[in-house]
Amino acid sequence: MPAVSISPFPTTTTNGGALHRDGALQRIKHLVDNGYVPIVHGDVVCDDQLGHTILSGDTLIERLCTLIRPRRAIFITDVPGIFDKPPEEPGAILLSKIDVDPSTGTMCLPSAFRSNKSSHDVTGGIKKKLASARNVVKRGDTPVFIGDLHSEATARVLSGEPGWGPDDDERGAGTWVRMKP
């Protein structure tokens, strides 16, 4: 699979933390149009008001999915997916699917859902990742897979292997955020 890592730093700026100039997205669209799989990550970028700030890779993916309407988007994390509570807590359950209500745009999460933010995550943690995933699904009905970089499930979803899509049976790793069927 021809994958290319793209740094937003040289061509992307923010204004007060909000995406302002997104030159990286045009480069990414060009790569996709030519058969490459873009690997996007957060980065320090210049900010018109703040001098510099951290731009989340999730924010870039939101904008990118609006631009190119991919079949799926994949958010890589350091845990196997989204859990009903912080995964380090005893009894945490991996959520295999999170539906987005098409009429309201809200996510259907367990009523006791709780998350935390890792001390090393400066871009909003799981709450920001879920909000970005919801926005991607709402805007274009692109399903989002959230999974661990090193998992077999993430590799299979990335390859587009049949039987590993958002409407397939639970496979034991990763979380699909999708439009409610």
Side-chain angles (χ1 to χ4, degrees):
M1 173 180 319
V4 179
S5 178
I6 302 294
S7 173
F9 174 73
T11 59
T12 304
T13 62
T14 56
N15 188 358
L19 195 56
H20 180 54
R21 282 183 227 106
D22 54 6
L25 296 179
Q26 291 306 317
R27 288 187 308 156
I28 293 167
K29 184 175 184 327
H30 176 77
L31 289 168
V32 169
D33 290 346
N34 286 283
Y36 291 90
V37 175
I39 308 297
V40 181
H41 56 83
D43 207 348
V44 175
V45 296
C46 295
D47 186 282
D48 295 343
Q49 291 180 32
L50 306 171
H52 64 279
T53 192
I54 303 293
L55 175 63
S56 169
D58 301 338
T59 300
L60 288 170
I61 292 296
E62 277 188 62
R63 183 77 64 93
L64 182 61
C65 287
T66 300
L67 182 66
I68 65 171
R69 305 259 189 237
R71 290 189 313 270
R72 64 190 169 279
I74 300 171
F75 289 10
I76 301 297
T77 66
D78 58 355
V79 294
I82 304 299
F83 289 80
D84 64 338
K85 59 185 173 183
E88 65 276 4
E89 290 186 17
I93 298 170
L94 178 68
L95 304 174
S96 63
K97 292 182 177 66
I98 298 173
D99 290 334
V100 175
D101 187 303
S103 59
T104 64
T106 58
M107 287 185 294
C108 305
L109 289 166
S111 59
F113 177 79
R114 291 184 296 111
S115 69
N116 65 358
K117 183 177 161 186
S118 298
S119 60
H120 66 275
D121 188 340
V122 296
T123 60
I126 291 298
K127 285 184 181 180
K128 169 66 174 142
K129 192 168 292 300
L130 278 174
S132 291
R134 179 200 63 223
N135 291 340
V136 166
V137 171
K138 266 184 4 184
R139 289 183 188 138
D141 199 20
T142 298
V144 175
F145 181 80
I146 302 171
D148 180 9
L149 172 64
H150 303 290
S151 77
E152 178 183 352
T154 299
R156 288 181 172 205
V157 170
L158 184 59
S159 73
E161 184 176 321
W164 288 84
D167 298 320
D168 294 313
D169 291 334
E170 181 178 332
R171 296 288 182 164
T175 301
W176 280 102
V177 180
R178 63 185 186 163
M179 192 63 71
K180 186 176 182 178

